């Protein structure tokens, strides 16, 4: 059986996932067969061009027309279109793969997770960094106890594309459309990675203290002689208390001059430590018990997660491969009626932490992460 895939959104994420869908059968012969069936968007001309470039058989301008026609629905639109089409697709019994953060608000994320619980099909949150081989290798080491008891989790995600005050306004600068700024766009990745790596040892995040900052209050609208207000954060920082007593320190910025897509995570435990940087994603820095310093492990052996599907040892992989891996796992779960993680429940858990960071910024106090 060939899975017919419908995709809403054809820009950055549309391209990243279409590339993954095209690569699948070439490198993962055991993946289910897929067809890039229908591409959904509003601007008919741009949509037609994108469908041709990305290899889709047809286009549609209304998601309501496709959600029960396709076998899988990918929601890769801006954050404000995550909730309604995803919930409708799940109610129609169609599996959904949705970009991160799950939604602009906690209430919408709760509704999406509730729809996923009701539906008997996979609902995946597209946190692609879980699928870096070095990250999965790190998770194995932590769960095998190589780091001992976890004390510190440090994550930072630094970009600089808004440091120029004349950089154009986009939906990512608007609270209604995006929910939050660097916090949701980048912080959601870091919080999900932290959970993925340490939640088995350290539990969930129980309390946070957060700080949000907007450096430039309005930006020029492309093609128009006006500016629009920036209603989200340009940067955030947070401290987090895990159930076990482990401490988390997180930050992200779109104003970190010189840093393009610099996502790092460091974990220190009672027996050892590790460091990962997305800019060197084939490597893991590991400090083992009784060692005086970190060793750099090139995580490209055949035995490393996903690597046997690509090239011989040392023939490094890149950012786009993480999308191939997550698409492989998600579509395999769809074909085999299996479970996929990160699920909408994981997306909701990250959103609860984002929400708590915002509430803490408003009150100036430590707050509990609310779980209803
Ligand atoms: C833009 O800040 C962005 O593309 C994010 O939206 C992605 O999730 C991240 O992986 C790279 O940066």
């Amino acid at each position: 059986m060939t899975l017919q895939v419908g995709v809403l959104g054809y820009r950055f994420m549309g391209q990243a996932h279409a590339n993954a869908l095209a690569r699948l059968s070439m490198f993962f012969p055991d993946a289910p067969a897929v067809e890039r069936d229908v591409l959904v968007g509003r601007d008919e001309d741009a949509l037609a061009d994108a469908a041709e470039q990305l290899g889709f058989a047809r286009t549609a301008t209304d998601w309501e027309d496709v959600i029960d026609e396709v076998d899988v629905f990918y929601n890769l639109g801006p954050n404000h279109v995550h909730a309604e089409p995803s919930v409708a697709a799940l109610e129609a019994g169609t599996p959904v793969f949705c970009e991160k953060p799950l939604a602009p608000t906690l209430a919408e994320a709760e509704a999406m997770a509730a729809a996923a619980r009701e539906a008997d099909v996979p609902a995946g949150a597209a946190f692609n960094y879980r699928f870096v081989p070095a990250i999965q290798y790190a998770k194995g080491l932590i769960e095998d106890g190589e780091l001992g008891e976890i004390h510190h989790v440090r994550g930072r995600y630094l970009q600089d594309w808004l440091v120029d005050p004349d950089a154009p306004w986009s939906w990512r600068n608007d609270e209604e459309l995006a929910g939050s700024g660097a916090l949701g766009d980048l912080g959601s990745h870091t919080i999900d990675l932290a959970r993925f790596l340490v939640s088995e040892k350290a539990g969930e995040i129980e309390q946070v203290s957060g700080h949000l900052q907007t450096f430039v209050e309005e930006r020029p609208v492309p093609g128009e002689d006006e500016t629009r207000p920036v209603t989200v954060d340009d940067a955030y920082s947070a401290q987090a208390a895990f159930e076990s007593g482990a401490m988390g320190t997180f930050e992200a910025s779109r104003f970190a001059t010189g840093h393009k897509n610099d996502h790092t995570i460091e974990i220190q435990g009672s027996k050892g430590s590790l460091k990962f940087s997305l800019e060197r994603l084939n490597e893991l820095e590991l400090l083992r018990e009784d060692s005086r310093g970190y060793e750099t492990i090139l995580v490209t052996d055949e035995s490393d997660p996903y690597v046997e599907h690509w090239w011989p040892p040392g023939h490094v992989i890149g950012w786009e491969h993480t999308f191939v891996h997550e698409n492989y796992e998600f579509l395999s779960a769809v074909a085999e009626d299996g479970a996929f993680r990160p699920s909408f429940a994981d997306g909701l858990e990250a959103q609860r932490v984002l929400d708590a960071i915002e509430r803490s910024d408003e009150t100036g106090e430590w707050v509990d992460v609310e779980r209803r």
Side-chain angles (χ1 to χ4, degrees), residues 12 100 129 157 159 161 172 185-186 189 261:
F12 187 16
K100 42 53 57 181
Y129 298 132
Y157 201 149
Q159 299 185 341
W161 54 282
R172 292 176 189 274
D185 187 34
L186 305 177
H189 274 304
N261 197 34

Side-chain angles (χ1 to χ4, degrees), residues 12-13 79 99-101 126 128-129 157 159 161 171-172 181-182 184-186 188-189 254 260-261 263 278 319 323:
F12 187 16
M13 285 304 109
N79 304 349
E99 263 304 327
K100 42 53 57 181
N128 58 309
Y129 298 132
Y157 201 149
Q159 299 185 341
W161 54 282
W171 68 266
R172 292 176 189 274
D185 187 34
L186 305 177
S188 65
H189 274 304
R254 294 165 166 172
K260 301 302 168 195
N261 197 34
H263 193 193
L278 185 62
W319 180 79
F323 289 82

Side-chain angles (χ1 to χ4, degrees), residues 65-294:
D65 296 337
V66 312
I67 51 171
D68 53 5
E69 275 176 17
V70 294
D71 299 312
V72 192
F73 179 65
Y74 279 36
N75 192 334
L76 314 179
N79 304 349
H80 69 107
V81 295
H82 284 185
E84 197 188 353
S86 299
V87 169
L90 289 168
E91 284 173 354
T94 304
V96 176
F97 201 25
C98 184
E99 263 304 327
K100 42 53 57 181
L102 196 56
T105 63
L106 181 56
E108 284 164 288
E110 304 256 17
M112 292 169 77
R117 276 195 302 276
E118 288 292 308
D120 197 17
V121 292
F127 286 115
N128 58 309
Y129 298 132
R130 286 193 183 203
F131 299 91
V132 174
I135 288 291
Q136 300 220 344
Y137 180 66
K139 180 179 169 69
L141 293 171
I142 294 167
E143 288 180 0
D144 289 348
E146 294 273 335
L147 267 52
E149 189 185 329
I150 304 301
H151 294 140
H152 294 286
V153 184
R154 286 200 186 79
R156 44 167 238 197
Y157 201 149
L158 306 181
Q159 299 185 341
D160 70 356
W161 54 282
L162 282 185
V163 73
D164 177 355
D166 292 326
W169 185 94
S170 76
W171 68 266
R172 292 176 189 274
N173 298 124
D174 186 89
E175 189 181 5
E176 294 275 302
L177 306 178
S180 61
L183 175 65
D185 187 34
L186 305 177
S188 65
H189 274 304
T190 313
I191 286 153
D192 182 68
L193 260 198
R195 291 189 61 243
F196 179 60
L197 290 168
V198 307
S199 62
E200 187 169 298
K201 292 272 173 206
E204 295 291 353
I205 295 170
E206 287 196 319
Q207 290 189 309
V208 298
S209 155
H211 176 49
L212 273 60
Q213 182 64 276
T214 305
F215 298 112
V216 170
E217 302 287 342
E218 55 186 321
R219 291 190 174 274
V221 184
E224 288 172 37
D225 196 17
E226 62 169 54
T227 59
R228 245 179 245 169
V230 173
T231 48
V232 297
D233 57 288
D234 290 321
Y236 89 97
S237 63
Q239 301 181 69
F242 285 82
E243 257 171 272
S244 69
M247 295 170 75
T249 318
F250 303 120
E251 64 166 318
S253 178
R254 294 165 166 172
F255 273 68
T257 307
H259 298 257
K260 301 302 168 195
N261 197 34
D262 180 7
H263 193 193
T264 57
I265 192 144
E266 297 184 2
I267 298 171
Q268 286 96 36
S270 55
K271 292 190 348 195
S273 298
L274 59 79
K275 302 192 237 182
F276 168 81
S277 165
L278 185 62
E279 291 182 343
R280 304 183 73 91
L281 69 79
N282 290 272
E283 296 174 6
L284 187 70
E285 304 272 321
L286 178 66
L287 178 97
R288 295 182 195 269
E289 195 174 20
D290 300 328
S291 164
R292 285 188 67 191
Y294 281 88

Side-chain angles (χ1 to χ4, degrees), residues 7 10 39-52 59-61:
V7 173
Y10 51 86
L39 191 62
V40 185
R42 279 178 309 183
D43 177 339
E44 279 187 43
D45 291 340
L47 187 61
D49 290 348
E52 193 178 336
T59 62
T61 51

